[in-house]
Amino acid sequence: MFELDCQGVIPGCQRVIRAESQAEVFRRAVQQAHQSGVEKLTPDMLDVLRERTTELPN
């Protein structure tokens, strides 16, 4: 299980995104960003999303 607290990364986001794969967390984060009004994710924002996605212990 992987997790991303998108607060402070995606403007206006207060969610913690969890999914079985890192790729799914990333996909949901991009979707959340678009729903929050972010039309284009910058390379820096994408880097931060990757850095803050953590694997949870089983």
Side-chain angles (χ1 to χ4, degrees):
M1 178 76 65
F2 290 85
E3 174 181 279
L4 168 67
D5 181 353
C6 67
Q7 186 175 12
V9 181
I10 300 170
C13 182
Q14 302 293 321
R15 292 182 58 199
V16 174
I17 300 168
R18 292 185 184 93
E20 290 299 320
S21 71
Q22 192 171 16
E24 181 62 16
V25 168
F26 195 73
R27 187 193 70 76
R28 291 179 187 181
V30 170
Q31 183 179 31
Q32 178 67 43
H34 289 293
Q35 290 174 352
S36 296
V38 178
E39 292 182 24
K40 183 177 179 186
L41 281 77
T42 65
D44 288 340
M45 184 182 281
L46 295 174
D47 287 343
V48 172
L49 289 174
R50 285 185 195 98
E51 290 169 7
R52 294 208 183 162
T53 300
T54 58
E55 187 170 9
L56 300 174
N58 290 333

